[in-house]
Amino acid sequence: MNPSEKEALVFHAFFTLLCGIVILFFTPLTVGPRLLFLVVVYNLALPLWARLRDHEDWINLWQFAFILSIFQVFPDWFLSAQLDILVFPDDGCFKIGTVAGYMAGLWTIPLFIIIFLSRQIRERFSEIAARWAAGLGALFLFGGSEATLWLLPSWYAKDVLMIGHVAIYILIPEIILGLAAYGAYQTVCRRPVHVKIFSAFFVMLLYLGSACFFYFLVEKIIRPVLGG
């Protein structure tokens, strides 16, 4: 691994350890404040670490991922408020509409990891390999979150076809999100902030549109055929 990769691994290993400590041992606090604390720590510590270690590329990537994370509130809000298939229970955190407030920054974490990993694979292998990494990384991280975070509880799907606790309709949109986020960042990585904002907004729209399409396909076309 090159120095940037090693430091990214060390940073995320320390953050994972912190997550374990906060989630497992700060039980007097409800889950919402614990997740909000972790989200704030990540989004302050990562750019600070990057600045101290002179990783300008990390700062550019974090900036894009954080902007996109803020926009991702809108799909979550639509799925929970309009379609009523996503639930954010009362967990002690403030809400943005129907969405837990920490979600505005939580998406930053998997998005940073997916794009960073994909770019490193692109440098070592090829653009095709990087796209595979973005798609599979998104499926693993986002699907893993769907499969586990209901235990806290943080959010969960309802009234849709599921494999375990993972909603089937959202899997392809999450892959699309990973691919689109990687592709968009490749285009705007060195562009000004306003360009990143526009790019992140259109990635969010692509995700929202694909979520609606695959919800309709799975729940309104395939599910009746299966007799669900």
Side-chain angles (χ1 to χ4, degrees):
M1 290 189 292
N2 63 40
S4 179
E5 292 168 346
K6 290 178 182 177
E7 289 200 33
L9 181 61
V10 169
F11 176 87
H12 286 90
F14 276 117
F15 182 73
T16 300
L17 178 62
L18 176 64
C19 288
I21 292 170
V22 171
I23 295 299
L24 294 175
F25 298 108
F26 283 61
T27 50
L29 288 175
T30 54
V31 69
R34 282 181 279 166
L35 288 176
L36 180 62
F37 169 77
L38 291 170
V39 166
V40 170
V41 167
Y42 185 91
N43 284 290
L44 291 177
L46 190 143
L48 178 60
W49 179 302
R51 183 68 68 191
L52 293 174
R53 302 297 294 173
D54 198 27
H55 292 306
E56 192 65 29
D57 55 328
W58 286 28
I59 295 174
N60 283 327
L61 175 49
W62 167 81
Q63 190 178 67
F64 175 79
F66 182 67
I67 293 167
L68 179 52
S69 182
I70 293 172
F71 283 134
Q72 283 295 107
V73 169
F74 290 107
D76 285 339
W77 197 344
F78 180 81
L79 296 175
S80 56
Q82 297 303 119
L83 296 184
D84 194 27
I85 55 175
L86 182 63
V87 178
F88 292 92
D90 291 331
D91 58 8
C93 186
F94 68 93
K95 290 285 201 296
I96 303 173
T98 53
V99 180
Y102 53 77
M103 294 300 297
L106 185 62
W107 287 89
T108 309
I109 302 169
L111 287 166
F112 183 94
I113 294 171
I114 289 165
I115 299 171
F116 181 87
L117 175 65
S118 300
R119 284 169 62 84
Q120 300 309 116
I121 288 178
R122 180 179 182 271
E123 290 182 6
R124 276 186 168 77
F125 300 105
S126 66
E127 180 63 30
I128 295 297
R131 292 176 185 177
W132 274 100
L136 293 176
L139 180 62
F140 176 78
L141 289 177
F142 296 140
S145 297
E146 301 272 345
T148 56
L149 286 183
W150 66 273
L151 290 166
L152 292 177
S154 178
W155 72 84
Y156 58 88
K158 70 170 188 175
D159 300 330
V160 293
L161 282 176
M162 290 193 276
I163 301 173
H165 292 274
V166 179
I168 295 173
Y169 82 93
I170 204 65
L171 293 176
I172 294 178
E174 287 174 341
I175 293 172
I176 291 172
L177 175 60
L179 290 167
Y182 163 71
Y185 183 70
Q186 284 294 94
T187 303
V188 304
C189 59
R190 301 190 183 279
R191 304 293 296 277
V193 173
H194 71 274
V195 177
K196 291 186 176 74
I197 291 172
F198 281 114
S199 181
F201 180 75
F202 285 111
V203 171
M204 179 275 292
L205 288 182
L206 179 61
Y207 173 72
L208 176 56
S210 62
C212 291
F213 172 78
F214 282 99
Y215 167 78
F216 179 75
L217 178 65
V218 171
E219 299 298 325
K220 303 304 180 182
I221 297 177
I222 296 176
R223 189 172 186 176
V225 171
L226 297 177

